[in-house]
Amino acid sequence: MRPETERHRMKKDDSSQMIVRVRGLKKSFGSLQVLKGIDFFVPSGRIYGLVGHNGAGKTTAINAILGLTTHEGEVRVLGREPFASRADLMKDIAFVSDVASLPRFLKVHQLLELMDDIHPGFSRENARRFLLDTDIRFSSRIKSLSKGMLAQLHLAIVMAIDARLLVLDEPTLGLDITFRKKFYRRLVEDYMSEKRSILITTHQVDEIEFLLTDLIFLKNGEIVLDASMESISRRFCQVLVSPDRIEDARAQKPLFSTVQLGQNIMIFDGLERQSAEILGTVSTPSVSDLFVALMERPSAGGQEHEKQAPGEIQ
């Protein structure tokens, strides 16, 4: 086991700073097993990306964390079992799905009043203060707002909730790229703290790469990657292989190989950088490239965490 892996495991197992602990989580719908005994941890002060194709189990895992579904295995959020303690736990959790979920028939000021009534951690004053920097009028009906304004209103609601865990399920779906980037940037700059953690699911992985501290890939109900962003840059490398080194590169058993515009590109797991540089031009794969590599790789039938060697229902 690599030293940095051991340090990461020790940090994850420190219960004093644990926000979410999932062990052996299983969930079936009839004969279909959606989650197959997954384990993961979310310490405080971290931003996790939970990424997978539709049907991978992302929404089911989130529902278990939020206490919205029964399951097998252990789930603890802030030391409590979510399904049994959901009403109490919701005081410390905020859950936001895509902006289309906002009640369009309400006026903006009515939404703020509603949030004030239903979430004890919501501050109407903080939300109003944020909205003063926008063109949104408090008397406007939500259905009359543009997509950009909806994103700003959504962000105001999120940032006005004082929660230990913020769960975002495709929060910027359908929004213009400008507003998506603004949403995430303001979230990191004005909301995130060492006492809070954020769990994000999205298909737009490259757009959130800059803010993530950790990454989890789900495939067919199993975790195929659970790693910090720092360890990913050390563990994986992408090589634009020199034409005269193609056979040497293949001998190193790349995780993934493709040909783009006549150039051979390979992704390696655990190949030393010095050895990689002999093969061609070396870089760190983007999250989306790594996702494609691991999703197309045949499943080994188990989890492949950074702390282990190789190895959705909507």
Side-chain angles (χ1 to χ4, degrees):
M1 179 178 291
R2 297 186 297 269
E4 66 270 21
T5 301
E6 182 64 32
R7 287 196 298 272
H8 193 58
R9 167 181 274 183
M10 291 172 63
K11 183 173 183 179
K12 285 188 171 184
D13 286 343
D14 184 354
S15 59
S16 65
Q17 62 174 354
M18 197 64 60
I19 302 292
V20 177
R21 182 190 300 272
V22 173
R23 286 177 170 166
L25 176 59
K26 297 181 181 180
K27 179 66 180 182
S28 297
F29 294 94
S31 61
L32 177 62
Q33 188 174 21
V34 180
L35 294 174
K36 303 175 182 179
I38 64 173
D39 304 332
F40 67 90
F41 313 94
V42 180
S44 61
R46 310 290 286 185
I47 303 177
Y48 271 68
L50 181 61
V51 184
H53 293 304
N54 289 336
K58 304 188 303 296
T59 297
T60 304
I62 284 180
N63 285 343
I65 291 171
L66 296 174
L68 296 174
T69 184
T70 57
H71 56 81
E72 297 180 62
E74 178 187 3
V75 178
R76 291 290 183 272
V77 180
L78 296 169
R80 289 168 281 186
E81 202 287 312
F83 193 77
S85 309
R86 185 168 184 267
D88 186 48
L89 196 57
M90 286 302 103
K91 298 174 184 178
D92 297 309
I93 297 179
F95 170 58
V96 181
S97 58
D98 66 86
V99 295
S101 64
L102 293 175
R104 303 301 181 95
F105 59 91
L106 292 179
K107 294 182 178 180
V108 172
H109 73 87
Q110 292 173 325
L111 176 61
L112 301 188
E113 293 166 3
L114 177 64
M115 288 298 303
D116 211 18
D117 289 337
I118 65 177
H119 202 297
F122 180 78
S123 169
R124 195 189 322 180
E125 183 58 35
N126 286 346
R128 289 179 64 89
R129 188 179 302 114
F130 179 85
L131 290 174
L132 288 175
D133 293 331
T134 73
D135 294 326
I136 299 174
R137 296 181 179 179
F138 295 104
S139 60
S140 298
R141 288 201 181 276
I142 295 174
K143 66 181 180 181
S144 70
L145 301 179
S146 67
K147 284 187 176 181
M149 288 181 175
L150 282 174
Q152 292 173 323
L153 177 58
H154 210 202
L155 184 57
I157 297 297
V158 169
M159 295 180 61
I161 297 174
D162 184 13
R164 293 289 307 280
L165 175 65
L166 174 61
V167 180
L168 302 173
D169 189 8
E170 297 286 356
T172 60
L173 195 64
L175 293 178
D176 180 88
I177 185 172
T178 302
F179 291 105
R180 295 199 301 263
K181 289 182 175 294
K182 182 176 181 180
F183 179 94
Y184 288 124
R185 190 162 285 113
R186 290 297 301 271
L187 192 67
V188 173
E189 294 175 355
D190 298 338
Y191 184 84
M192 189 60 189
S193 73
E194 62 181 14
K195 295 182 179 180
R196 292 172 169 156
S197 286
I198 300 176
L199 178 61
I200 306 173
T201 73
T202 181
H203 290 86
Q204 299 153 340
V205 290
D206 282 341
E207 292 181 10
I208 66 169
E209 182 172 354
F210 78 97
L211 62 89
L212 296 179
T213 62
D214 299 83
L215 193 60
I216 296 174
F217 285 165
L218 267 178
K219 177 183 179 182
N220 299 327
E222 297 177 312
I223 292 178
V224 295
L225 179 72
D226 178 1
S228 68
M229 296 301 291
E230 295 94 334
S231 69
I232 285 174
S233 64
R234 293 190 293 267
R235 173 177 166 181
F236 297 97
C237 66
Q238 180 170 287
V239 181
L240 178 59
V241 182
S242 302
D244 59 338
R245 292 288 185 176
I246 293 176
E247 292 305 317
D248 293 336
R250 288 173 179 163
Q252 295 293 335
K253 298 180 179 179
L255 180 69
F256 178 77
S257 178
T258 187
V259 178
Q260 298 179 6
L261 300 176
Q263 297 181 312
N264 286 272
I265 300 173
M266 301 184 188
I267 295 178
F268 296 89
D269 180 0
L271 183 64
E272 293 292 335
R273 189 173 184 89
Q274 186 175 4
S275 299
E277 289 175 344
I278 296 174
L279 302 176
T281 304
V282 181
S283 61
T284 299
S286 67
V287 169
S288 59
D289 287 338
L290 186 58
F291 178 77
V292 170
L294 289 172
M295 291 302 110
E296 292 193 5
R297 185 185 192 189
S299 176
Q303 300 186 36
E304 183 179 322
H305 295 252
E306 68 165 335
K307 54 181 177 285
Q308 298 175 346
E312 158 169 77
I313 295 296
Q314 294 292 344

